[in-house]
Amino acid sequence: MQDLYDVTIIGGGPAGLYSAFYSGLRGLKTKLIESQEQLGGKVLLYPEKLIWDIGGHPPILGEQFVKQLIAQAKTFKPTMLTSTKVDFIERQGDLFVIHTAQGEKHYSKTVLLAVGGGIINPQKLTLEGAEKYEMSNLHYTVQSYKRFVNKDIIISGGGNAALDWAVELSPIAKNVTIVYRKDTLSAHEATIQEALDVGVQIECNTTITKLSANPDKTAIQFITCENSRTNQSYTRQIDEVIVSHGYNREASLTFDEAIAIPKKDDYYFEGKATGETAQPGIFAAGDILSFEGKIHLLLGTFQDAANAVNSIKTYLEPTAHRHAVVSSHNEVFKEKNRSIIENSLSK
Ligand SMILES: Cc1cc2nc3c(=O)[nH]c(=O)nc-3n(C[C@H](O)[C@H](O)[C@H](O)COP(=O)(O)OP(=O)(O)OC[C@H]3O[C@@H](n4cnc5c(N)ncnc54)[C@H](O)[C@@H]3O)c2cc1C
């Protein structure tokens, strides 16, 4: 049998990563399992975005924020697995057996679900041959602004993400055009106005119907668009195509019959702000958890994570304190503080 853990965290997004840190702080033997190759969850979808709304933190790029979250999560050396999808969880007596798609079994006294919006993948362009351009100039996320400097860009989609990208890229691009199949965009009015103010061209009732390759067939050189109102189409040369059509959510994991957790909207778990679910021993944090007053933002994931870990601690050790002592009084930081101070003095 594999090692037995106090807590196994499913999901390595912000909620899971902060839970891993906090769980170490509370002295729990911790394992984290993430299905993707990389840790970071949904923040990996916006590496170039500046995040402004984290308390006490200056604006920070998504990419940098993920690096810092991972470094913090490793503070107490939890076991961390990536590229490992949890499929099924069952209860065996007092323990949980966590089965993965890879056929492994993991054993834990408690489970902390931090699976966010589930395993999400962008909705792909369904045009023939589109996938072969994903290695060149067909993008489902903006990984680096540099690539788009002085480029002629077409963005397909009418939601907030599409319009946000248009606004961000417009000052550095040669030209940005939004095409959207419906007659009104679904993004916030203020963002649409911002896009218009920075010179983004917006074409509604318009769909990309054809991608045509450059002579060596490595990239898209021309796109054909059709207007559903006028039935007219046009073909134009472009440098980069960004598709922002939302995400498909892959059903994440299942439980044995003995584990029933009420759900909201068929997906999100109903629970308490303390991270408890209706199932003793199973806790939740971050976007997956629904309760009154929930904040579906990064700052909400951190509060959820601390609450869920504190609940786990008292579930496992009923006489333990409900909260961890603040970091300045916490024994576990004493040695680390000393080495940080010594380092700063030696500079
Ligand atoms: C485009 C965009 C911009 C945003 N901008 C901001 C912002 O500016 N400020 C802000 O505060 N918030 C922002 N958010 C929201 C923020 O990113 C989320 O609230 C946060 O990522 C939720 O974290 P989470 O850990 O709960 O879930 P997620 O980030 O979704 O992470 C869940 C993780 O669980 C993994 N997982 C799922 N199922 C399994 C399984 N069965 N086995 C193993 N692993 C699994 C997934 O692969 C994923 O890595 C934004 C979100 C988006 C989409």
Side-chain angles (χ1 to χ4, degrees):
M1 177 165 133
Q2 285 222 22
D3 263 5
L4 176 63
Y5 282 76
D6 291 326
V7 55
T8 299
I9 300 163
I10 321 286
L17 289 168
Y18 193 68
S19 298
F21 164 75
Y22 213 84
S23 179
L25 182 64
R26 301 250 36 202
L28 299 172
K29 184 173 176 183
T30 306
K31 181 183 273 183
L32 180 147
I33 304 180
E34 165 57 48
S35 65
Q36 310 275 0
E37 226 176 290
Q38 277 179 287
L39 296 164
K42 281 200 279 290
V43 186
L44 297 173
L45 299 174
Y46 49 96
E48 284 277 4
K49 183 181 130 141
L50 276 168
I51 305 171
W52 283 81
D53 49 358
I54 304 165
H57 215 299
I60 179 168
L61 284 176
E63 187 182 24
Q64 184 57 28
F65 184 62
V66 165
K67 278 190 192 149
Q68 293 180 192
L69 269 178
I70 295 172
Q72 186 183 40
K74 289 181 175 167
T75 308
F76 299 103
K77 303 187 171 45
T79 301
M80 290 171 118
L81 307 177
T82 51
S83 304
T84 308
K85 179 179 181 272
V86 172
D87 259 352
F88 182 66
I89 299 177
E90 64 172 327
R91 194 189 277 280
Q92 270 182 15
D94 286 345
L95 306 181
F96 292 98
V97 185
I98 297 154
H99 299 256
T100 71
Q102 290 73 13
E104 299 155 0
K105 287 184 196 173
H106 301 267
Y107 298 87
S108 195
K109 294 179 193 168
T110 64
V111 173
L112 204 176
L113 300 167
V115 292
I119 299 167
I120 57 175
N121 294 302
Q123 284 199 30
K124 300 279 178 97
L125 207 56
T126 49
L127 295 176
E128 206 188 324
E131 64 287 348
K132 66 174 180 278
Y133 302 118
E134 287 178 31
M135 300 298 285
S136 53
N137 61 347
L138 174 61
H139 313 274
Y140 291 98
T141 182
V142 173
Q143 292 291 342
S144 157
Y145 286 164
K146 267 193 203 144
R147 176 172 185 112
F148 297 92
V149 173
N150 273 332
K151 297 284 183 69
D152 202 338
I153 306 166
I154 190 134
I155 301 177
S156 177
N160 284 316
L163 270 289
D164 280 347
W165 278 332
V167 169
E168 299 286 339
L169 294 174
S170 191
I172 57 167
K174 190 178 358 161
N175 177 42
V176 179
T177 307
I178 287 265
V179 292
Y180 186 48
R181 67 194 160 92
K182 294 190 181 167
D183 58 2
T184 44
L185 301 171
S186 60
H188 297 308
E189 238 171 72
T191 317
I192 299 171
Q193 191 53 53
E194 213 182 328
L196 291 168
D197 291 346
V198 294
V200 174
Q201 293 173 47
I202 296 178
E203 299 177 8
C204 287
N205 303 303
T206 304
T207 313
I208 302 176
T209 53
K210 193 174 168 198
L211 307 173
S212 307
N214 59 0
D216 58 11
K217 306 220 178 311
T218 53
I220 305 164
Q221 187 170 10
F222 297 97
I223 52 152
T224 303
C225 291
E226 202 170 287
N227 184 306
S228 59
R229 278 271 170 85
T230 61
N231 284 333
Q232 287 188 329
S233 63
Y234 66 82
T235 297
R236 62 175 258 212
Q237 191 160 349
I238 50 89
D239 298 314
E240 307 288 341
V241 179
I242 300 173
V243 174
S244 176
H245 290 179
Y247 295 91
N248 291 317
R249 198 166 58 205
E250 201 184 302
S252 188
L253 49 89
T254 56
F255 302 95
D256 76 19
E257 281 171 6
I259 302 177
I261 305 175
K263 287 191 175 177
K264 185 187 172 214
D265 301 338
D266 272 351
Y267 187 82
Y268 299 97
F269 294 119
E270 296 272 19
K272 294 186 188 167
T274 52
E276 289 152 297
T277 69
Q279 196 55 232
I282 299 197
F283 300 80
D287 279 2
I288 185 65
L289 179 65
S290 171
F291 58 84
E292 203 182 326
K294 169 80 185 184
I295 299 178
H296 281 281
L297 285 173
L298 295 164
L299 67 94
T301 67
F302 302 143
Q303 176 156 12
D304 286 3
N307 271 324
V309 169
N310 284 331
S311 297
I312 290 170
K313 180 75 180 175
T314 48
Y315 172 85
L316 293 172
E317 298 168 34
T319 56
H321 281 293
R322 168 74 205 157
H323 300 290
V325 269
V326 290
S327 49
S328 51
H329 296 162
N330 203 311
E331 287 295 314
V332 297
F333 291 119
K334 276 208 169 132
E335 206 180 308
K336 294 180 199 294
N337 286 348
R338 212 171 297 128
S339 82
I340 291 170
I341 292 166
E342 274 166 17
N343 263 343
S344 73
L345 291 176
S346 66
K347 277 180 192 158

